[in-house]
C-alpha cells in the first residue's frame, strides 16, 4: 500500500470515529471538539517502543507539548505517545484514536 493510500485509510478511520462519537454530553462534545482541533493530516513518524524498538507509524494529532496520538499500521490501532528527547514514545494506551486522545 502506498503512503497516500494508507493516509487516506487512516483519515477514513478517523472520520468514522468522529461520526460515531457520542457528543450528547458536555464532556463528550468537549472531547470531540478538542480532538478535531488537534487532528492533523496523517504523516509518518518514527515511534520508540520499550526495549529500544522503533517503528514507522503515523501521527494523527499535533502534539500538545506532551502527548500525541499515532496510528500503528502493523497493529491496526491507535496509540497515545509521550514526547521525549528521542521522539514520540509509546506509553501503552491503545485503542480508538479519540479514546486515546481523551485519556489525558
Amino acid at each position: 500500500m502506498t503512503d497516500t493510500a494508507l493516509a487516506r485509510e487512516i483519515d477514513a478511520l478517523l472520520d468514522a470515529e468522529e461520526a460515531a462519537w457520542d457528543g450528547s454530553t458536555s464532556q463528550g462534545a468537549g472531547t470531540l471538539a478538542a480532538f478535531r482541533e488537534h487532528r492533523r493530516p496523517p504523516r509518518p513518524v518514527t515511534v520508540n517502543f520499550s526495549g529500544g524498538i522503533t517503528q514507522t507509524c503515523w501521527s494523527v494529532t499535533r502534539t500538545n507539548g506532551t502527548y500525541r496520538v499515532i496510528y500503528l499500521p502493523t497493529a491496526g490501532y491507535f496509540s497515545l505517545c509521550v514526547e521525549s528527547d528521542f521522539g514520540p514514545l509509546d506509553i501503552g494506551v491503545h485503542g480508538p484514536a479519540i479514546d486515546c486522545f481523551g485519556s489525558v
Side-chain angles (χ1 to χ4, degrees), residues 21-41:
W21 184 258
D22 180 6
S24 63
T25 66
S26 60
Q27 181 179 358
T31 298
L32 181 58
F35 179 79
R36 286 177 170 160
E37 182 181 326
H38 284 86
R39 186 175 164 180
R40 61 166 305 140

Side-chain angles (χ1 to χ4, degrees), residues 36-57:
R36 286 177 170 160
E37 182 181 326
H38 284 86
R39 186 175 164 180
R40 61 166 305 140
R43 69 176 179 92
V45 62
T46 300
V47 175
N48 299 287
F49 294 87
S50 298
I53 298 168
T54 62
Q55 181 180 341
T56 300
C57 298

Side-chain angles (χ1 to χ4, degrees), residues 19 27-28 34 66 71 88 102-103:
Q27 181 179 358
T66 306
Y71 180 73
S103 68

Side-chain angles (χ1 to χ4, degrees), residues 38 61-69 80-83 91 104:
H38 284 86
T61 63
R62 291 184 309 281
T63 180
N64 67 0
T66 306
Y67 299 99
R68 79 167 103 170
V69 178
L80 185 66
C81 289
V82 65
E83 297 299 323
I91 58 173
V104 292

